[in-house]
Amino acid sequence: MDLVPALEEPLKKVLGPATAKVMAEHLGLHTVGDLLHHYPRRYEERGQLTHLADLPMDEHVTVVAQVADARLHTFASTKAPRGKGQRLEVTITDGSGRLQLVFFGNGVHKPLKELLPGTHAMFAGRVSVFNRRLQLAHPAYELLRGDSEETVETWAGALIPIYPATAKLESWKIGKAVQTVLPSAQEAVDPLPPALREGRGLVPLPEALLKIHRPHTKADIAAARDRLKWDEAFVLQVALARRRHADAQLPAVPRRPAPHGLLSAFDDRLPFTLTEGQRKVSKEIFDDLATEHPMHRLLQGEVGSGKTMVALRAMLAVVDAGGQAAMLAPTEVLAQQHHRSIVEMMGELAEGGMLGGAEHGTKVVLLTGSMGAAARRQALLDLVTGEAGIVIGTHALIEDKVQFHDLGLVVVDEQHRFGVEQRDALRGKGKQPPHLLVMTATPIPRTVAMTVFGDLETSVLDQLPAGRSPIASHVVPAADKPHFLARAWERVREEVSNGHQAYVVCPRIGDEEVDTRKKQSPEDEAEKRPPLAVLDVADQLAKGPLQGLRVEVLHGRMHPDDKDAVMRRFAAGETDVLVATTVIEVGVNVPNATAMVIMDADRFGVSQLHQLRGRVGRGSAPGLCLLVSEMPEASAARQRLNAVASTLDGFELSRIDLEQRREGDVLGQAQSGARTSLKVLAVIEDEEIIAEAREEATKVVAADPELTRLPGLRTALDALLDDEREQYLEKG
């Protein structure tokens, strides 16, 4: 019988079933190795206490502090009518601020004896507000006692690791569990090739694990983190490099456009010339399409940079070469819109008969879930016979019933809204793997592109076509300066009186159930009032500041036909103001809309605000975007809005976005397989490490695709690619 390697030993055996169960359920930790890779979030020095002044509301925190005083109160209550109820209030301090702890009932006896003034301890609990003061109710605590042989100095200078914890398992309990398994770190297999590790002066893995969990100095922590960052970056980049290597071995049908075919006919009818950027990116795509391996390309471009035009030319090239192209859009509104604009751009070329009938083009069909049965049957027939060269649709395209004559290219719009399975299912419809072009209008910083889309080559469209107008953006502080909001509605009226149209965007629809059962303190209510809703705001505007204007609403729960009708009326100029949710974020194109007011703008992410703003200024008149917020001037939310107002550069904003949010939100789906997500690697700060790791990984894989000479790396890769992750990268 084989001995289980030390790091694969189940925690159940080492820590006992109860602790192991909590670790598995709440932290996703199952083996000794998992626990060793559960790194401290930060370190407290016993002599330097936590900043109590900066505690976040409603979060589970661990603090190190000193007891200032403790008072026992008695009170009458339903359970203790004779004034026998007991409440212990303990005040702790760290020099920067004070925090109240409360214990009730029988829970007061132990802390009353132990939490004497002057005692140092770690406390863990959820931060709440009572009588306008922060408090922890019934926190768990661990006294910090200096052992007799420890001098006061070493005791005060020791670094206490604070682990990502949960209400069920405090940081110090995790620390004790780590202490139990730490000896196994000696057996950790090092994934980095020795030459790479020595060349960069990185400490060996067992040493890094010891230093991150039990550092003696801050230099220990730095050395451990440098090493562990390299592990994360390198193993991930090796996985992606192997993916690229495997893709390069797949066969694909080269698709070269016919010399005087559909593409030339289309280019001849264009009323404008392509931008330099569009020409450059088109060339990259055509070069890929001409090879015998499937193209995997990510096309990034600001809203309005002409991505659709580039994608359409790629689709026409494939149709020219006898294949079919499918474009996958995230919503029906967007699919219908792409279909309309592509048919308009192609004119009579979209009314063709058979595939590649270069004389007069090809058929462009739409396929969405809400189509009538007859239209749907006809669309399916056109696809299977090859009558339709181009199909645009929602995920209805992925259903089993949909069959293609010869699928040569898949274009995915707004990548971040599609599960990988969906892309994969569509790619599986080709006789051989089709070429893949992924488009996004959310600018992705270079490092994120390398980390999340590392198996795709990247093209960037960074100049706007001629004729796009500048957009002025301003923050409207509705609470501090209500007259600014009144002025915002005047500006909307001015735009309408000049013959233009406006959007008003709200975070919510307004017919949802809002849970009002929870009693909240007044200051809580201001903070937590439900986000403004389309239905309420539209009503208030129509009766108030925008009275007399034609106001309509648009949101995701309307019937698709109603949505389409509203959009059509707005596009035709029959509506002055459209009050909508973020359904307008992608792809809605109305050049006459010049103003946008975003209500509760602080409830949206930076990239989303940038996307929304791109809906105005699409014609010859300048655009105006007003970001309305009730958040106070000093808040992080307002700083975010100021950043959006100060620049139109999406790449700059995406960096700000990443710095402000946790990486996990941005990497989103790409980090599925939660326990493999990045722990110490920060995508923005560690740009250089990621770029170098990608280079090293590419070299290693080119020399030894199966990694036969690097068993340690193989093992780390298998751990990273647990099933979920393997599938994710497979399908990326």
Side-chain angles (χ1 to χ4, degrees):
M1 184 181 131
D2 283 352
L3 280 174
V4 178
L7 271 65
E8 286 170 30
E9 189 77 62
L11 287 173
K12 220 177 15 227
K13 280 191 163 167
V14 190
L15 302 175
T19 309
K21 183 169 187 253
V22 177
M23 287 199 167
E25 284 175 9
H26 294 273
L27 297 168
L29 308 175
H30 303 274
T31 63
V32 168
D34 291 345
L35 181 54
L36 286 173
H37 287 291
H38 186 72
Y39 309 133
R41 175 179 287 160
R42 57 193 169 81
Y43 302 84
E44 289 292 0
E45 290 178 66
R46 283 177 169 152
Q48 286 182 347
L49 302 170
T50 320
H51 280 298
L52 295 181
D54 312 334
L55 290 181
M57 267 298 295
D58 235 17
E59 279 193 27
H60 191 84
V61 298
T62 301
V63 298
V64 177
Q66 183 175 13
V67 177
D69 74 349
R71 296 176 187 194
L72 187 62
H73 303 271
T74 53
F75 60 92
S77 71
T78 45
K79 287 187 182 161
R82 295 209 187 90
K84 293 279 173 56
Q86 291 193 310
R87 181 174 78 242
L88 175 65
E89 290 181 3
V90 178
T91 307
I92 58 173
T93 175
D94 64 351
S96 80
R98 298 164 84 81
L99 180 66
Q100 186 99 27
L101 315 177
V102 288
F103 300 89
F104 293 100
N106 295 334
V108 304
H109 306 310
K110 185 167 177 271
L112 185 60
K113 285 210 297 279
E114 296 183 333
L115 297 179
L116 304 171
T119 310
H120 284 80
M122 283 196 274
F123 302 92
R126 191 170 287 287
V127 182
S128 57
V129 168
F130 182 73
N131 279 346
R132 295 183 172 248
R133 286 164 64 194
L134 293 183
Q135 70 166 24
L136 297 181
H138 278 284
Y141 62 88
E142 174 90 338
L143 301 179
L144 297 174
R145 298 190 177 90
D147 294 344
S148 49
E149 61 267 26
E150 272 189 310
T151 65
V152 173
E153 281 73 39
T154 57
W155 186 84
L159 294 161
I160 305 171
I162 304 289
Y163 289 91
T166 74
K168 295 273 190 293
L169 200 64
E170 292 88 13
S171 167
W172 54 87
K173 290 188 180 155
I174 297 172
K176 285 177 180 165
V178 169
Q179 193 67 35
T180 310
V181 301
L182 209 50
S184 308
Q186 292 306 335
E187 297 180 42
V189 185
D190 203 319
L192 295 187
L196 187 157
R197 196 184 76 227
E198 287 149 20
R200 294 178 186 278
L202 299 168
V203 300
L205 182 57
E207 188 184 328
L209 290 171
L210 287 173
K211 283 183 167 167
I212 199 139
H213 290 295
R214 290 290 168 270
H216 293 299
T217 61
K218 291 188 172 160
D220 283 354
I221 300 172
R225 290 180 71 88
D226 286 350
R227 162 62 216 241
L228 295 167
K229 281 181 177 190
W230 253 95
D231 278 17
E232 285 184 6
F234 182 70
V235 176
L236 180 57
Q237 292 301 337
V238 166
L240 293 163
R242 292 188 68 209
R243 191 68 253 132
R244 291 194 298 276
H245 185 268
D247 283 339
Q249 317 303 312
L250 288 174
V253 179
R255 309 279 179 176
R256 297 185 186 83
H260 300 292
L262 189 53
L263 182 62
S264 336
F266 175 75
D267 284 349
D268 291 346
R269 36 167 307 141
L270 280 181
F272 52 82
T273 54
L274 298 174
T275 65
E276 187 50 44
Q278 285 175 316
R279 279 203 291 274
K280 180 178 130 293
V281 171
S282 287
K283 180 180 182 326
E284 292 171 350
I285 292 173
F286 290 155
D287 289 350
D288 282 359
L289 289 174
T291 64
E292 301 193 342
H293 307 295
M295 163 172 83
H296 286 109
R297 191 166 280 282
L298 173 69
L299 171 57
Q300 301 188 49
E302 288 283 4
V303 170
S305 56
K307 292 186 301 297
T308 312
M309 172 61 69
V310 169
L312 176 56
R313 294 184 71 243
M315 295 198 286
L316 294 173
V318 168
V319 174
D320 250 355
Q324 287 168 297
M327 184 181 224
L328 196 54
T331 63
E332 295 214 351
V333 170
L334 195 52
Q336 288 161 344
Q337 181 141 352
H338 274 316
H339 181 253
R340 269 204 299 277
S341 63
I342 282 175
V343 168
E344 273 165 33
M345 285 196 261
M346 288 176 62
E348 72 272 13
L349 296 176
E351 297 155 12
M354 285 301 281
L355 266 181
E359 276 312 302
H360 290 293
T362 184
K363 225 178 186 183
V364 179
V365 299
L366 176 69
L367 191 61
T368 64
S370 65
M371 283 169 76
R376 189 181 170 77
R377 241 193 329 273
Q378 185 57 51
L380 291 173
L381 189 65
D382 288 343
L383 284 178
V384 75
T385 57
E387 187 96 358
I390 295 178
V391 58
I392 294 147
T394 54
H395 44 253
L397 275 179
I398 297 165
E399 291 170 10
D400 293 343
K401 292 199 270 305
V402 181
Q403 296 194 334
F404 290 85
H405 177 70
D406 178 13
L407 181 61
L409 170 67
V410 174
V411 179
V412 179
D413 189 21
E414 285 313 323
Q415 140 64 29
H416 61 285
R417 297 178 170 230
F418 279 103
V420 177
E421 294 72 20
Q422 295 170 307
R423 277 183 2 221
D424 195 51
L426 191 51
R427 274 171 59 185
K429 293 190 177 288
K431 296 187 173 66
Q432 281 195 327
H435 298 282
L436 175 70
L437 179 64
V438 169
M439 300 198 297
T440 178
T442 307
I444 302 167
R446 173 171 153 259
T447 42
V448 179
M450 280 194 287
T451 312
V452 178
F453 302 110
D455 54 340
L456 301 174
E457 300 300 328
T458 305
S459 297
V460 178
L461 273 177
D462 46 13
Q463 55 187 133
L464 292 183
R468 288 301 302 261
S469 303
I471 304 170
S473 306
H474 304 284
V475 178
V476 177
D480 317 348
K481 301 183 177 155
H483 58 286
F484 276 35
L485 183 58
R487 176 73 190 112
W489 301 126
E490 282 170 28
R491 284 291 291 113
V492 170
R493 294 194 82 101
E494 286 163 20
E495 289 299 314
V496 172
S497 64
N498 290 334
H500 297 303
Q501 292 159 279
Y503 297 102
V504 177
V505 183
C506 304
R508 202 164 66 83
I509 296 173
D511 52 5
E512 311 92 330
E513 291 290 307
V514 176
D515 188 1
T516 50
R517 288 170 307 188
K518 292 185 185 143
K519 278 266 185 282
Q520 291 179 337
S521 61
E523 65 271 25
D524 244 20
E525 273 172 19
E527 191 70 348
K528 294 203 177 145
R529 67 160 172 74
L532 290 171
V534 166
L535 302 174
D536 309 339
V537 170
D539 194 41
Q540 289 158 14
L541 291 177
K543 291 177 180 159
L546 301 186
Q547 200 171 359
L549 301 186
R550 297 167 299 177
V551 177
E552 287 214 53
V553 300
L554 178 69
H555 58 76
R557 283 215 291 275
M558 289 164 63
H559 186 278
D561 293 350
D562 297 340
K563 271 195 274 201
D564 210 35
V566 169
M567 265 327 299
R568 258 204 284 271
R569 286 196 292 276
F570 189 64
E574 295 162 22
T575 306
D576 299 319
V577 179
L578 187 61
V579 183
T581 54
T582 53
V583 289
I584 62 157
E585 175 187 0
V586 271
V588 173
N589 186 15
V590 179
N592 192 42
T594 53
M596 175 177 286
V597 181
I598 303 179
M599 307 302 290
D600 277 347
D602 47 90
R603 312 261 179 149
F604 299 97
V606 170
S607 296
Q608 200 174 23
L609 290 169
H610 182 60
Q611 290 280 87
L612 285 164
R613 169 171 65 184
R615 298 289 130 225
V616 294
R618 299 177 77 88
S620 50
L624 172 69
C625 177
L626 301 174
L627 306 165
V628 180
S629 170
E630 291 186 2
M631 295 306 267
E633 192 154 357
S635 62
R638 275 282 287 281
Q639 287 162 3
R640 240 187 16 242
L641 297 180
N642 292 339
V644 174
S646 66
T647 176
L648 289 171
D649 178 342
F651 285 93
E652 179 51 35
L653 286 174
S654 66
R655 287 188 77 98
I656 294 170
D657 199 15
L658 250 183
E659 281 157 9
Q660 296 212 338
R661 288 158 54 177
R662 293 198 314 283
E663 241 100 36
D665 305 342
V666 183
L667 303 183
Q669 167 110 45
Q671 293 297 341
S672 71
R675 54 171 228 273
T676 60
S677 62
L678 304 181
K679 297 190 180 89
V680 283
L681 192 69
V683 177
I684 287 284
E685 291 160 34
D686 299 323
E687 186 160 353
E688 282 167 29
I689 296 182
I690 293 172
E692 289 173 26
R694 180 174 168 130
E695 247 170 73
E696 294 275 5
T698 309
K699 281 193 276 203
V700 165
V701 171
D704 179 8
E706 289 306 307
L707 309 178
T708 39
R709 295 192 290 283
L710 295 166
L713 178 54
R714 240 323 339 171
T715 310
L717 205 56
D718 293 341
L720 172 76
L721 304 180
D722 52 19
D723 302 342
E724 240 182 317
R725 185 58 173 249
E726 178 81 73
Q727 287 169 352
Y728 182 82
L729 291 168
E730 282 284 321
K731 296 168 182 173

